[in-house]
Amino acid sequence: MTSLISAGHRLQLNEIPYGPPDSVRDALSRALASANRYPEFFPQRLPRLIAERLGCAPDRIVMGAGATGVIMHIVQEFGSGGAEVVMAAPTFDGYPILVSMAGGRPIAVPLTGDGRQDLPALAAAVTERTRLLVVCSPHNPTGTLVTPTEFEWLLRSVPASVTVVLDEAYVDFVAAGDRIAVFDLLDRYPNLLVLRTFSKAYGLAALRVGYAVGAPEIVERIARWQLPFGMTALAEVAVRACYEAEAEIEARIAVLGAHRDRLTAGLRELGLCVPDSYANFSYLTLPAAEADRVATALAGADIHVKTYPTGIRITVGDRPATDAVLSAVRSTVQ
């Protein structure tokens, strides 16, 4: 695996540090010969491809330009016109930004002290003005997990008039036994949408390929916001090639999981509070002043991370990146 990290370490956007597998790169290179041709007016082949892999009907899949593109469509349909959208704080920056852009009102619910989403508090924040509720598992930025039992409790606790988004952008990093059986829930809760992306584990962030799975009726409502010619033909080529390179993708995920565990253990050995992460990043829980000091030291070592009022999120890179992070943090805390 060839690392894309050279000068400095880009550890702020949760990208994986490896370029596409050779077979995926070759498929993309061949596809460039048709770059003069428009893609499909609205995506049809790509939803069919993903649906076949997931074992569901294509009319349960809606595409977007990365997870952010799908979120924008969801928010346009359910979170505009002053509607309230309940979410954890902090969470993926796209949610409060896009809700505000659409004219909705983000309702922020603080995390628990151990970096988990407070599901009872999220449910309690729902009012008659709430149209959308968002849960991330694994959570961004802490990497913590919502259990299947917890999530189904939330679905039972929320009115059917509220659309619930389960953001699984990092689900590929989660062991199969720890995942939520989303298709069982989708059959029983028509207000549920499951969001996924090819930007993370599959390493296709630049191609912007995201999708949501839901009941056909809710998918149809979201799809009406899609931009014509909005999904590139390269996205379809890359997804197909990644599915065919599944063994190599899974091997990369295993390597990144080992790096994540080493990074987390190393930070804990320095006496720092780091929640168990099920994603491709680790989260330092620190007071604001100390977080600023550590972030400044990392920036001085040309290590770029994401800071929050409650701590620092550090994307898992390759071994040199992990070594660099631990060295910089060690010099700061000691």
Side-chain angles (χ1 to χ4, degrees):
M1 291 179 289
T2 302
S3 172
L4 293 181
I5 295 176
S6 52
H9 300 284
R10 291 178 43 166
L11 307 180
Q12 76 274 39
L13 294 177
N14 295 341
E15 303 154 322
I16 68 169
Y18 310 116
D22 289 343
S23 59
V24 177
R25 192 176 307 173
D26 291 344
L28 288 170
S29 296
R30 291 191 298 271
L32 287 174
S34 301
N36 58 308
R37 302 298 182 185
Y38 281 102
E40 293 181 296
F41 191 73
F42 290 117
Q44 296 182 5
R45 292 190 299 267
L46 190 49
R48 286 199 297 267
L49 175 63
I50 294 170
E52 182 179 354
R53 173 55 62 106
L54 297 179
C56 69
D59 63 357
R60 302 189 75 171
I61 306 289
V62 59
M63 304 301 305
T68 303
V70 186
I71 294 166
M72 186 73 252
H73 299 331
I74 294 170
V75 168
Q76 286 171 311
E77 181 63 27
F78 299 107
S80 61
E84 293 181 351
V85 180
V86 176
M87 63 191 73
T91 191
F92 170 51
D93 291 342
Y95 285 108
I97 292 172
L98 296 178
V99 169
S100 297
M101 286 175 60
R105 183 184 172 205
I107 304 299
V109 176
L111 300 177
T112 63
D114 56 355
R116 305 185 76 242
Q117 293 159 104
D118 191 335
L119 300 194
L122 287 169
V126 172
T127 72
E128 68 278 2
R129 296 177 298 277
T130 305
R131 294 293 175 267
L132 197 61
L133 184 150
V134 177
V135 173
C136 301
S137 187
H139 187 56
N140 182 3
T142 60
T144 53
L145 205 62
V146 174
T147 69
T149 300
E150 292 170 334
F151 186 66
E152 185 160 12
W153 174 88
L154 180 70
L155 288 172
R156 291 197 305 267
S157 303
V158 172
S161 59
V162 176
T163 300
V164 178
V165 173
L166 174 61
D167 186 328
E168 290 194 323
Y170 302 93
V171 71
D172 299 289
F173 298 100
V174 179
D178 293 324
R179 298 182 188 182
I180 296 171
V182 293
F183 282 98
D184 291 343
L185 296 177
L186 285 165
D187 289 338
R188 289 185 282 126
Y189 297 93
N191 60 325
L192 172 62
L193 281 168
V194 180
L195 182 67
R196 292 180 178 174
T197 180
F198 288 89
S199 295
K200 304 305 180 184
Y202 288 89
L204 301 181
L207 294 184
R208 314 309 300 129
V209 194
Y211 66 94
V213 189
E217 296 78 15
I218 197 170
V219 162
E220 184 177 6
R221 292 178 63 182
I222 298 164
R224 71 191 186 95
W225 293 97
Q226 288 181 318
L227 181 69
F229 301 120
M231 297 298 300
T232 73
L234 290 179
E236 178 190 345
V237 170
V239 168
R240 187 180 301 277
C242 281
Y243 282 158
E244 292 173 356
E246 187 172 38
E248 187 170 353
I249 299 293
E250 290 180 351
R252 291 176 165 205
I253 292 170
V255 169
L256 288 171
H259 287 322
R260 176 199 62 209
D261 294 344
R262 177 170 173 259
L263 175 61
T264 297
L267 293 170
R268 286 174 175 171
E269 287 172 3
L270 297 174
L272 297 169
C273 180
V274 185
D276 289 336
S277 174
Y278 294 83
N280 69 324
F281 50 84
S282 295
Y283 188 78
L284 288 176
T285 303
L286 295 167
E290 190 172 352
D292 288 342
R293 183 165 57 85
V294 173
T296 299
L298 290 167
D302 204 9
I303 301 169
H304 307 278
V305 297
K306 175 74 173 175
T307 59
Y308 295 85
T310 56
I312 299 173
R313 189 193 68 197
I314 306 172
T315 303
V316 175
D318 53 13
R319 179 172 288 275
T322 300
D323 291 341
V325 169
L326 293 176
S327 177
V329 175
R330 185 179 299 109
S331 66
T332 304
V333 300
Q334 291 181 349

